[in-house]
Amino acid sequence: MIDTGATAFILICTAMVMLMTPGVGLFYGGLVRRKNFISMLALAFIAFALVSIQWVVFGYSLAFGTDINGLIGGLEYAFLEGVGMEGDGIPDLLFMAFQMVFAGLTLAIVTSGVAERIKISSFVVFGLLWTTLVYDPLAHWAWGGGWAAQFGALDFAGGTVVHISSGFSALALALVIGKRLGFGSHGMEPNNIPMVLLGGALLWFGWFGFNAGSALTADGLAANAFVATNIAAAAGALAWLCAAWIRGRPGSVGIISGAIAGLVAITPAAGFVTPMAAIPIGAAAGLVCYGALLFRVHRGLDESLDAWAIHGMGGIFGALATGVFAAAAIGGVDGLLYGNPGQFLIQLADVAVVVAYSFGATYVIAKIIDAVMGLRVTEEEEYVGLDIAQHGESVRV
């Protein structure tokens, strides 16, 4: 039976999450050099459009079809067969759309690893293969009745499915495609910090729909997730600010990065922990992700826009923190602090598998595409900038 209140709520949440994909484009666009601003925005829109078609043709069915050996769903929902206006609480079509915007956002996050140097044609092929072979199985494992759900792993809104997968996939892509020309020897400062902050604001706003909407109805659990989401973001922002202040000056990009770190970490936990637990989760995530960024810089890794440091490492921390702070009074399962150390071990095992699969599968996909058609633009195109070289457009000042 359809609940009209829940349906209205999830319709709004779906639209909010959709807005996060151009939010990523603005965030990333502000971080790159001006000659690649349009390129990063375009990659976000391409990601969303590509996944939207893949999802309705067969992606949704692979993620949420009848379980096959705990690994993948069947094809009974291909071309939206049997996905209609009826459903349990909300229409099946709406549930499909809600999950679709998650998938599109995840691919957009991955573009961090290839910023300023990937060919559009190669990205389209990569995006189709990656969503099919990496995202869809992970979504099935966690939410479609796959092995992780059967094992008892907790992921309320995408700590493993969205954040660990995108972060470690971005790292794998960066290693395959190689560093940007001039990386480490030429300045690559953000071209538009206000645009970064605007993109971050859209992400913070959309995250309320991301996490609260994952309750799939307008109830107390949704409210808990909503409040925990904001608390974690605030704690992450303040923790990163303080850490950066100790080392020098607290930049605004760091503040919004800390907020996103907190948002990433609370994503798997929002429906399982109390709102007050979001303070240590968010604050610790801000410090963990800041440390990961410093490590990445020290090692000279050109995972250009830090999806690995923030989404990958923040996702790991959040998934593990869920196993520590989960409270049965909220989500029906206790964690380590409430006398259930087994849940932490389950989370640890889940994280290990997702990290290995996301990184390994992405590395193989990227290597194959690079060998067949090449991932990277020419040196001349990279020097000119992808806005002009790939799109024939430029930002006018």
Side-chain angles (χ1 to χ4, degrees):
M1 183 176 178
I2 298 300
D3 182 324
T4 55
T7 299
F9 176 61
I10 302 303
L11 281 168
I12 294 169
C13 288
T14 301
M16 291 171 67
V17 177
M18 182 274 156
L19 195 61
M20 294 174 74
T21 297
V24 167
L26 292 171
F27 188 87
Y28 285 175
L31 287 173
V32 298
R33 291 165 290 180
R34 191 175 71 187
K35 62 184 180 180
N36 296 303
F37 179 86
I38 293 171
S39 169
M40 296 311 300
L41 269 173
L43 287 177
F45 281 103
I46 290 169
F48 188 79
L50 181 67
V51 172
S52 292
I53 300 302
Q54 187 268 3
W55 196 250
V56 299
V57 173
F58 59 83
Y60 174 70
S61 193
L62 292 177
F64 292 96
T66 302
D67 178 58
I68 301 174
N69 298 321
L71 299 176
I72 198 69
L75 290 174
E76 65 267 35
Y77 299 138
F79 298 95
L80 299 186
E81 183 69 27
V83 182
M85 294 184 288
E86 299 301 318
D88 184 14
I90 64 173
D92 292 339
L93 272 174
L94 178 55
F95 177 76
M96 180 279 301
F98 184 63
Q99 295 298 333
M100 178 187 71
V101 294
F102 276 58
L105 170 65
T106 308
L107 180 58
I109 295 171
V110 176
T111 62
S112 165
V114 292
E116 304 191 294
R117 57 203 189 278
I118 193 168
K119 296 193 298 185
I120 295 176
S121 57
S122 299
F123 177 73
V124 170
V125 174
F126 170 81
L128 179 60
L129 291 175
W130 186 86
T131 304
T132 302
L133 300 176
V134 179
Y135 184 87
D136 294 349
L138 291 178
H140 181 76
W141 295 356
W143 301 326
W147 71 265
Q150 297 170 23
F151 190 47
L154 304 178
D155 188 352
F156 188 70
T160 56
V161 180
V162 175
H163 298 299
I164 293 178
S165 73
S166 61
F168 279 85
S169 294
L171 178 61
L173 261 181
L175 293 175
V176 174
I177 200 170
K179 299 177 182 180
R180 289 169 289 178
L181 293 178
F183 178 77
S185 59
H186 299 299
M188 295 186 177
E189 299 300 316
N191 81 90
N192 194 327
I193 289 176
M195 197 64 70
V196 175
L197 300 178
L198 175 60
L202 290 174
L203 290 172
W204 194 330
F205 171 75
W207 230 294
F208 292 121
F210 197 90
N211 287 353
S214 291
L216 296 178
T217 191
D219 62 2
L221 185 62
N224 185 90
F226 189 104
V227 174
T229 296
N230 193 65
I231 291 173
L238 294 175
W240 192 303
L241 181 152
C242 291
W245 211 336
I246 291 171
R247 292 177 55 88
R249 289 179 290 185
S252 59
V253 173
I255 295 169
I256 194 62
S257 295
I260 294 174
L263 290 163
V264 167
I266 202 62
T267 294
F272 297 108
V273 305
T274 66
M276 295 310 296
I279 295 178
I281 291 174
L287 298 178
V288 166
C289 295
Y290 181 61
L293 182 149
L294 295 178
F295 173 81
R296 194 270 300 170
V297 172
H298 177 71
R299 296 290 295 179
L301 296 171
D302 192 14
E303 198 288 282
S304 312
L305 309 178
D306 287 303
W308 171 77
I310 296 177
H311 294 273
M313 297 307 295
I316 287 177
F317 176 77
L320 296 180
T322 303
V324 174
F325 291 96
I330 303 297
V333 180
D334 280 326
L336 180 63
L337 286 183
Y338 294 90
N340 182 19
Q343 189 60 51
F344 178 80
L345 296 177
I346 290 172
Q347 298 297 113
L348 183 62
D350 184 35
V351 163
V353 173
V354 172
V355 167
Y357 182 76
S358 298
F359 182 88
T362 303
Y363 192 88
V364 171
I365 292 169
K367 275 289 190 182
I368 292 172
I369 295 174
D370 195 37
V372 173
M373 59 188 299
L375 280 171
R376 191 168 185 147
V377 298
T378 65
E379 288 191 12
E380 180 181 359
E381 289 175 316
E382 190 172 345
Y383 178 78
V384 170
L386 272 59
D387 289 1
I388 291 176
Q390 295 272 289
H391 301 283
E393 301 167 326
S394 64
V395 177
R396 304 293 182 185
V397 179

